């Protein structure tokens, strides 16, 4: 426990003197000075001054009465202890790599084994020439910083040039697109003009024919009625001419009746709209970073002691700071490049739309700018460690619960669809039912729209939008479609709905975008957080079909007994990390499938965990639990993740 400062500091003292006796300090004592010798430029206490006067009788001595003539002490703010504001830093604790004052030593560092005076530390550093080495290091670092600053400034100029060039390319591309659209518009208008001319010409011809026939009939009719020719032959001739004209008129009238009204309609090319709606911008903006070798370390740690600090008598904020001086200089892999695409960040764009900055790079790693719910660890297997059952039955329920849909709000409240009781139920964070909303028919599926809004498909070809507000459920609106509604999923304004024969893509206001996939018996669907994968469960073939955003079939995986009862559909859910969970009515286990739907990764929970006839599965990010809803069961099971 020996300390080099112990002999110079009285343990019970916190004294700090503006002027200390030089001789006492040399003998490791802390004594206030009473005299100052101008010849020696030293301070002395009342005892030491006697020895001084004996040796130097002719030196002029100034006592405290003349203290105004004493030299001023030069104590800068850097020398003042930040903990004990009136104390001067006089020592250095090597155990904690910390500068300390006398009070710090008394209160916090008496148990430390290596405490030295700053003066002794300075002598040691001078002997080892550490000051010179540090000065040289600082000079080197100064030059490196100047060079780095210059490089960064040049990089900024380069970025500005790249920005202007990209703007020009974007404007040029926009002009090309505008020119193409203008040409399409001209072609379409020209076709419209031509068609209008043809239709007008046809109608005018019919009008002329009508006028001609009207004139002829009027003349013939007048001659036929007014003439009283005695010659029978002439009467017959007039009759015959009138009859022939009548037959011609009859034939013309039939033609005119067939073409009674001509209309013009416009049937837009849907591929243009679909293509534009699938895009999020005119191209992708890439930023690449050239990975250079890290700068060689130039600063050496002068304190090489690695001893574990011993406990101090009191906590010292400085100790905590000193013990956390390790700086993490590692660069995450994802920081090697940045990707930005306006709007939908994962849209499929043509290769010609790729642009990059002029910084060279040996390889490009395209990193998606993650949105809320971006794919991060899609194939990391979920493991559970414990489970607990929670009753979701309420007094007004007439039947046992059939929980066939589960969602979660941003605040962690669960929403359940109870098929046979025709209800949506709201659960708090303790899995207690706090509110419910009655539906006009049996709910089939449910998905989240935003932080507090869900969409529920109902048996009568409707989609009901229900909002969670102040622990209450309120129906906002109803979307009526022209086909059956079974499975439903949502991503960034796109609704994916199955009807048992096909998968459709709708907008939130009910406009049909496209029929994405056709295969009978699919009932469940889900979408990955980035929108690049759409999953469809086909119960007739026990297949899980994985589609890309553009409807391309990526894979078709056989999941044993992936079927649903007449009361439900296969449970299908994608977590916020992109992990795919599937369960079927006759498949007691809940299985996890890889992102591309090519293989089953694991059975997450099984019948041995208490799962029986599952209808729905959901992963709660708030409780880190897998929630399973079951057939004819008033309980849900929450499986806690390891």
């Amino acid at each position: 426990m020996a300390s080099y400062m112990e002999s110079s500091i009285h343990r019970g003292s916190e004294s700090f003197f503006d002027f200390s006796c030089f001789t006492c300090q040399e003998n490791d004592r802390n004594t206030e000075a009473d005299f100052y010798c101008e010849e020696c430029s030293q301070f002395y206490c009342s005892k030491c001054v006697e020895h001084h006067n004996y040796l130097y009788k002719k030196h002029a001595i100034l006592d405290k009465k003349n203290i105004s003539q004493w030299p001023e002490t030069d104590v800068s703010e850097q020398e003042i202890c930040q903990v004990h504001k009136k104390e001067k830093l006089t020592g250095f604790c090597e155990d904690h790599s910390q500068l300390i004052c006398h009070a710090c030593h008394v209160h916090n560092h008496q148990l430390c084994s290596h405490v030295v005076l700053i003066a002794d530390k300075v002598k040691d550093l001078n002997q080892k020439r550490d000051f010179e080495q540090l000065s040289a290091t600082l000079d080197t670092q100064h030059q490196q910083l100047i060079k780095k600053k210059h490089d960064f400034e040049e990089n900024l100029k380069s970025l500005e040039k790249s920005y202007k060039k990209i703007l020009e390319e974007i404007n040029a591309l926009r002009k090309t697109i505008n020119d193409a659209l203008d040409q399409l518009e001209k072609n379409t208008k020209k076709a419209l003009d031509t068609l209008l001319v043809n239709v007008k010409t046809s109608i005018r011809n019919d009008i002329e024919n009508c006028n001609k026939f009207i004139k002829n009939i009027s003349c013939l009719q007048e001659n036929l009625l007014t003439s009283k020719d005695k010659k029978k032959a002439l009467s017959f001739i007039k009759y015959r001419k009138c009859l022939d004209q009548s037959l011609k008129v009859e034939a013309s009238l039939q033609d005119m009746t067939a073409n009674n009204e001509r209309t013009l309609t416009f049937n837009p090319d849907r591929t243009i709209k679909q293509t534009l709606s699938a895009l999020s911008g005119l191209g992708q903006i890439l930023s690449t970073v050239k990975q250079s070798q890290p700068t060689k370390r130039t600063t050496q740690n002068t304190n090489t002691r690695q001893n574990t600090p011993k406990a101090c008598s009191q906590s010292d904020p400085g100790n905590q700071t000193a013990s956390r001086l390790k700086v993490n200089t590692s660069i995450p892999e994802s920081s090697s490049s940045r990707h930005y695409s306006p709007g939908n960040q994962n849209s499929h764009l043509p290769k010609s739309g790729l642009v990059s900055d002029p910084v060279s790079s040996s390889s490009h790693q395209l990193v998606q700018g993650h949105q809320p719910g971006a794919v991060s660890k899609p194939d990391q297997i979920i493991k559970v460690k414990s489970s607990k059952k929670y009753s979701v039955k309420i007094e007004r329920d007439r039947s046992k619960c059939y929980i066939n849909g589960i969602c979660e709000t941003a605040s962690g409240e669960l929403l359940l669809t109870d098929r046979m009781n025709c209800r949506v139920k709201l659960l708090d964070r303790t899995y207690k039912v706090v509110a419910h909303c009655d539906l006009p028919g049996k709910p089939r599926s449910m998905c989240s729209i935003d932080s507090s809004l869900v969409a529920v498909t109902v048996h009568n070809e409707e989609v009901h939008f229900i909002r969670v507000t102040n622990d209450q459920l309120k129906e906002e609106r109803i979307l009526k479609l022209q086909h059956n509604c079974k499975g439903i999923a949502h991503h960034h304004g796109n609704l994916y709905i199955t009807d048992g024969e096909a998968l459709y893509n709708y907008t939130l206001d009910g406009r049909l975008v496209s029929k994405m996939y056709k295969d009978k018996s699919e009932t469940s669907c889900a979408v990955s957080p980035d929108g690049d994968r759409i999953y469809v469960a086909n119960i007739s073939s026990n297949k899980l079909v994985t589609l890309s955003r553009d409807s391309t079939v990526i894979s078709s995986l056989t999941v044993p007994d992936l079927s649903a009862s007449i009361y439900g559909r296969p449970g299908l859910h994608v977590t916020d990390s992109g992990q795919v969970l599937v369960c079927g009515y006759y498949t007691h286990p809940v299985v996890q499938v890889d992102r591309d739907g090519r293989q089953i990764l694991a059975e997450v929970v099984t019948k041995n965990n208490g799962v029986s006839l599952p209808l729905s599965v959901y992963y709660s990010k708030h409780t880190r639990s897998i929630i399973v809803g079951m057939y004819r069961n008033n309980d849900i099971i929450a499986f806690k993740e390891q």
Side-chain angles (χ1 to χ4, degrees):
M1 309 288 187
S3 171
Y4 295 114
M5 293 182 66
E6 187 172 340
S7 60
S8 66
I9 301 176
H10 299 288
R11 297 196 180 195
S13 172
E14 292 187 17
S15 299
F16 173 72
F17 306 119
D18 292 333
F19 303 96
S20 297
C21 176
F22 170 75
T23 306
C24 290
Q25 282 185 342
E26 289 295 314
N27 291 279
D28 295 334
R29 293 193 303 272
N30 186 27
T31 309
E32 185 178 8
D34 298 311
F35 300 92
Y36 175 70
C37 176
E38 292 181 322
E39 299 289 336
C40 299
S41 298
Q42 299 292 343
F43 297 96
Y44 299 100
C45 64
S46 56
K47 291 185 178 180
C48 294
V49 76
E50 295 177 359
H51 299 285
H52 171 272
N53 293 339
Y54 179 78
L55 296 173
Y56 307 102
K57 295 180 180 180
K58 295 183 179 182
H59 284 192
I61 298 297
L62 299 175
D63 58 14
K64 282 188 175 182
K65 293 179 181 179
N66 302 306
I67 197 170
S68 60
Q69 301 179 33
W70 291 16
E72 295 183 359
T73 57
D74 186 16
V75 180
S76 65
E77 289 187 10
Q78 295 183 3
E79 296 180 87
I80 301 300
C81 178
Q82 296 300 311
V83 179
H84 306 94
K85 299 299 183 181
K86 295 183 178 181
E87 297 289 346
K88 181 180 177 181
L89 295 171
T90 56
F92 181 72
C93 177
E94 293 186 337
D95 289 353
H96 295 91
S97 297
Q98 181 186 348
L99 291 166
I100 63 174
C101 67
H102 167 68
C104 291
H105 180 261
V106 171
H107 291 291
N108 300 323
H109 296 272
Q110 289 201 43
L111 298 179
C112 298
S113 58
H114 295 85
V115 178
V116 297
L117 290 168
I118 290 178
D120 294 339
K121 194 69 178 176
V122 170
K123 292 179 182 178
D124 183 56
L125 292 176
N126 283 327
Q127 291 176 357
K128 296 179 179 179
R129 306 188 68 180
D130 284 344
F131 279 116
E132 296 179 10
Q133 294 177 8
L134 181 58
S135 178
T137 297
L138 291 176
D139 288 339
T140 302
Q141 290 177 339
H142 184 257
Q143 295 301 320
Q144 290 175 344
L145 288 172
I146 292 175
K147 184 178 182 304
K148 283 292 182 184
K149 178 187 174 184
H150 178 266
D151 292 343
F152 287 139
E153 290 173 346
E154 292 298 317
N155 190 206
L156 278 178
K157 295 178 182 179
S158 176
L159 286 174
E160 290 294 335
K161 292 180 181 179
S162 300
Y163 174 78
K164 293 179 180 178
K165 181 181 178 182
I166 291 172
L167 280 183
E168 293 175 357
E169 293 176 358
I170 292 174
N171 292 333
L173 178 58
R174 175 60 186 269
K175 185 178 183 305
T176 301
I177 295 173
N178 288 343
D179 293 343
L181 290 175
D182 290 342
Q183 188 61 46
L184 291 176
E185 182 183 3
K186 290 179 181 178
N187 295 342
T188 307
K189 287 182 177 179
K190 183 178 179 181
L192 175 62
D193 294 339
T194 302
L195 182 59
L196 180 62
V197 169
N198 293 337
V199 172
K200 283 184 175 181
T201 301
S202 177
I203 293 175
R204 289 193 181 104
N205 290 335
D206 289 340
I207 293 173
E208 290 179 2
N209 288 333
C210 287
N211 291 332
K212 183 177 68 173
F213 284 133
I214 289 171
K215 183 178 180 181
N216 291 339
I217 286 178
S218 297
C219 294
L220 290 173
Q221 187 178 18
E222 183 178 353
N223 290 335
L224 181 64
L225 296 176
T226 58
S227 64
K228 296 181 180 179
D229 296 320
K230 296 180 180 180
K231 295 181 180 181
K232 295 182 179 179
L234 183 58
S235 298
F236 179 75
I237 291 172
K238 291 182 178 180
Y239 168 79
R240 190 66 220 179
K241 287 183 177 180
C242 287
L243 181 60
D244 291 343
Q245 189 67 27
S246 176
L247 292 175
K248 290 181 180 179
V249 170
E250 184 67 28
S252 296
L253 285 174
Q254 289 181 0
D255 291 340
M256 293 176 188
T257 303
N259 301 320
N260 187 31
E261 183 179 357
R262 297 172 178 85
T263 59
L264 297 177
T265 58
F266 177 60
N267 186 18
D269 191 336
R270 294 186 179 276
T271 57
I272 297 176
K273 186 176 180 180
Q274 291 174 3
T275 301
L276 291 177
S277 63
L279 299 176
S280 63
L282 296 179
Q284 293 176 325
I285 310 298
L286 301 180
S287 173
T288 58
V289 177
K290 185 177 181 181
Q291 296 287 353
S292 59
Q293 293 294 330
T295 305
K296 185 177 180 181
R297 184 182 177 122
T298 56
T299 304
Q300 301 296 328
N301 188 358
T302 57
N303 179 20
T304 59
R305 188 178 304 281
Q306 301 295 328
N307 295 343
T308 303
K310 296 182 180 180
C312 297
S313 57
Q314 274 186 303
S315 61
D316 187 346
N319 297 341
Q320 299 175 4
T321 304
S323 63
R324 293 175 183 156
L325 291 180
K326 295 181 180 179
V327 179
N328 183 8
T329 58
S330 62
I331 301 176
E333 182 180 355
S334 60
S335 66
S336 62
S337 65
R338 291 292 183 267
H339 165 245
Y340 173 72
S341 176
N344 189 337
Q345 297 172 345
N346 299 290
S347 61
H348 296 278
L349 298 172
K351 291 183 179 180
S352 60
L354 293 176
V355 292
S356 61
D357 64 16
V359 181
S360 62
S361 176
S362 59
S363 63
H364 292 273
Q365 180 184 2
L366 190 61
V367 180
Q368 303 297 343
H370 288 331
Q371 325 165 35
V375 175
S376 55
K377 298 179 181 179
D379 295 339
Q380 179 175 331
I381 297 175
I382 301 175
K383 297 180 180 180
V384 298
K385 61 181 180 180
S386 61
S387 64
K388 188 173 181 179
K389 293 183 178 181
Y390 299 91
S391 175
V392 293
K393 185 176 178 61
I394 62 177
E395 292 182 0
R396 297 180 64 182
D397 289 343
R398 296 181 179 180
S399 303
K400 281 195 172 183
C401 298
Y402 291 58
I403 305 303
N404 61 347
I406 307 174
C407 278
E408 189 174 32
T409 66
S411 58
E413 300 163 308
L414 281 181
L415 291 100
L416 311 176
T417 52
D418 188 342
R419 176 181 172 85
M420 296 309 294
N421 290 299
C422 299
R423 289 194 174 103
V424 177
K425 298 178 178 179
L426 177 66
L427 281 62
D428 61 16
R429 295 288 292 269
T430 64
Y431 300 98
K432 179 182 178 181
V433 179
V434 294
H436 70 275
C437 175
D438 292 337
L439 298 171
K442 292 179 173 59
R444 290 183 166 179
S445 182
M446 178 170 57
C447 70
S448 294
I449 303 298
D450 61 29
S451 60
S452 61
L453 182 68
V454 297
V456 182
T457 56
V458 182
H459 187 68
N460 56 357
E461 301 179 353
E462 294 178 348
V463 179
H464 291 243
F465 292 86
I466 299 174
R467 175 80 64 183
V468 180
T469 305
N470 297 326
D471 293 333
Q472 296 296 322
L473 298 176
K474 182 179 179 181
E475 189 171 78
E476 284 197 348
R477 63 186 178 95
I478 299 175
L479 179 64
K480 294 186 178 182
L481 302 179
Q482 300 300 316
H483 58 74
N484 207 347
C485 298
K486 293 188 176 181
I488 188 170
H490 170 259
H491 181 265
H492 282 194
N494 290 294
L495 279 179
Y496 302 95
I497 300 176
T498 63
D499 68 347
E501 295 185 353
L503 172 69
Y504 301 91
N505 181 11
Y506 285 92
T507 61
L508 283 176
D509 58 3
R511 289 180 289 113
L512 178 63
V513 178
S514 66
K515 179 188 281 189
M516 298 188 63
Y517 178 72
K518 185 176 181 180
D519 193 4
K520 290 185 177 181
S521 295
E522 73 273 5
T523 56
S524 300
C525 62
V527 59
S528 63
D530 58 8
D532 276 351
R533 298 290 184 269
I534 298 101
Y535 305 93
V536 179
N538 189 319
I539 62 175
S540 63
S541 59
N542 291 332
K543 297 285 188 180
L544 176 67
V545 180
T546 304
L547 309 172
S548 65
R549 189 195 300 267
D550 60 0
S551 305
T552 301
V553 177
I554 296 175
S555 66
S556 180
L557 174 67
T558 299
V559 180
D561 295 328
L562 181 61
S563 59
S565 71
I566 60 174
Y567 303 108
R569 59 181 181 82
L572 180 58
H573 172 63
V574 185
T575 71
D576 286 347
S577 298
Q579 296 146 309
V580 184
L581 300 176
V582 188
C583 65
Y585 174 72
Y586 295 110
T587 307
H588 297 297
V590 175
V591 300
Q592 182 177 339
V593 177
D594 72 295
R595 167 177 163 80
D596 289 332
R598 301 185 188 279
Q599 62 176 329
I600 297 175
L601 299 177
E603 290 185 353
V604 181
V605 294
T606 66
K607 188 175 182 180
N608 295 333
N609 300 112
V611 175
S612 177
L613 305 178
L615 296 178
S616 56
V617 60
Y618 185 85
Y619 178 83
S620 169
K621 63 183 179 183
H622 290 89
T623 61
R624 296 188 61 192
S625 302
I626 292 179
I627 316 297
V628 179
M630 294 167 286
Y631 169 79
R632 288 185 60 85
N633 200 316
N634 294 330
D635 296 330
I636 59 172
I637 305 179
F639 295 90
K640 196 73 174 178
E641 185 183 11
Q642 287 186 4

